Structure formats: structure tokens, C-alpha cells
Amino acid sequence: MDDALVDELVARVAAGADDGRTERVVVLVDGRSGTGKTTLGDALAERLGAQVVHLDDVYPGWDGLRAASDAVVTDVLGARSGYRRWDWAASEPDGWTAVDPRLPVVVEGCGALSRDSAPLATLRVWLEADDRTRWQRAIGRDGEVFARQWERWAAQEEAFIAAEDPAALADLVVRTDRRHPHAAGLRSGRPRTPPPRR
């Protein structure tokens, strides 16, 4: 991940933390499969000394995008402060992972940034890349297992995007399909007030 981008995001987090908008530092990194969410989330967590929650560990199976998105609000950032892990090999829940509510946290994965989670965050980032690049990255990483589920998962991503419009909720939209990721759109302050749920 581009160091200049990480530097910019860390500076934005510091500015957001200083203005007292949230009780603790919370960074939400969202985007479709293969856009670089995990890479960016890990880099930010390392620089911020933050916990990182990968929604890949939270999704309850191949049809679980919406459930994991809801869990970001109710469990990860909510009073329970943790999440139920999913065992992909056994296709069943696999215990509880606590998240320390006093420490900074980065939550990355498709579904992290919703109308309900956005107000809880210090910084909200949406990543974009063209479909060919996303496919190559995702299948190169996860292989044939994901290739068989690509359309099934993509339909959930599309439904989530249509319902929540996470790019509009983001403080920063970044294209990651170029040699040097760059901001495609910058907004300062809080995201616009989201429209009411349908």
C-alpha cells in the first residue's frame, strides 16, 4: 500500500480524534472484493497502534454480508465490543473475539461502512478498482473457492451498495487500481446526512 496514502489517512485520523467527534478512534475501510481493504486496514492498524477487525472473520458464510455489516454496529462497535468468528472450513460459528472498547480499532471489509456505522467513525474510507483488477487480486489471493462464489458474493455487494451508498458516506474515496493509489474524491468533516432507510 502506498506510504503517502497511509500517511494522509493517519493525519486525517489525528485531526478527527483531536476534534472529539468520537469517543475513540474508529476507522472504517470498505470497498468491493479485491480493492485492497485488508492491505490498507492492516497498514493503518499498524501505524495507529490499533486493533483490526477483518470482516472476513465475521461474515457468517457466503450469504452473510448484511449480517456482518449489522454486527459492526451492534457487536464490534456496540456494547458487546467484539464479534462471533466464523469457521469457514466447518461452516459454523467459532467462538467470540473481544474488542477492547478503550483502544483504537480499524474495521475493514465490504459492509463496514453503512448509514448506521458512519456516525461512530473517526474516518471513513471507500476503495475502488476496476472489475478486472478486482477479479485478478481476489482470485489470485483466494483461488478457486472464491471463483465459484464470485457472482453470489458480488450480488450481495451490489445490494449493500444500493441500500447504503457507502461511497457517499466516506470521507475519502480512493482508487487502488493504479500504480500509486490516490484520492478520487475528498470531503472534509462529517459525511452528508444519510437519507432515511427505505
Side-chain angles (χ1 to χ4, degrees):
M1 188 54 63
D2 187 88
D3 288 340
L5 172 62
V6 175
D7 289 344
E8 178 181 351
L9 296 179
V10 168
R12 284 172 169 262
V13 168
D18 288 345
D19 75 10
R21 293 183 300 183
T22 57
E23 292 181 23
R24 67 169 169 169
V25 169
V26 174
V27 179
L28 303 176
V29 179
D30 206 332
R32 298 191 71 177
S33 293
T35 54
K37 300 177 300 298
T38 301
T39 302
L40 179 59
D42 286 343
L44 284 171
E46 182 178 345
R47 288 283 300 278
L48 295 169
Q51 306 161 95
V52 63
V53 175
H54 301 289
L55 290 189
D56 282 350
D57 297 331
V58 182
Y59 302 124
W62 287 109
D63 297 309
L65 192 154
R66 173 48 74 179
S69 180
D70 293 343
V72 170
V73 176
T74 59
D75 296 344
V76 176
L77 302 178
R80 298 184 72 190
S81 200
Y83 57 93
R84 175 99 31 224
R85 290 185 311 278
W86 185 256
D87 182 334
W88 286 93
S91 193
E92 63 185 23
D94 183 34
W96 182 261
T97 298
V99 175
D100 191 326
R102 300 163 297 177
L103 300 177
V105 63
V106 175
V107 182
E108 70 80 16
C110 190
L113 179 53
S114 66
R115 288 180 172 94
D116 291 336
S117 67
L120 306 175
T122 311
L123 181 68
R124 296 151 295 273
V125 182
W126 175 257
L127 302 182
E128 295 182 341
D130 65 67
D131 290 345
R132 181 171 180 263
T133 298
R134 294 191 312 101
W135 168 268
Q136 290 173 338
R137 289 175 180 168
I139 304 310
R141 176 191 66 217
D142 297 325
E144 186 58 32
V145 172
F146 192 16
R148 289 192 303 267
Q149 303 293 342
W150 180 263
E151 294 300 326
R152 179 180 182 181
W153 188 255
Q156 291 175 81
E157 291 177 330
E158 290 164 5
F160 177 79
I161 291 166
E164 300 291 340
D165 197 7
L169 297 170
D171 298 303
L172 188 67
V173 175
V174 179
R175 288 213 61 97
T176 64
D177 52 359
R178 296 183 174 93
R179 183 167 172 83
H180 299 290
H182 70 283
L186 301 174
R187 287 184 283 282
S188 59
R190 304 301 283 172
R192 65 175 173 77
T193 304
R197 287 191 174 277
R198 292 180 213 149

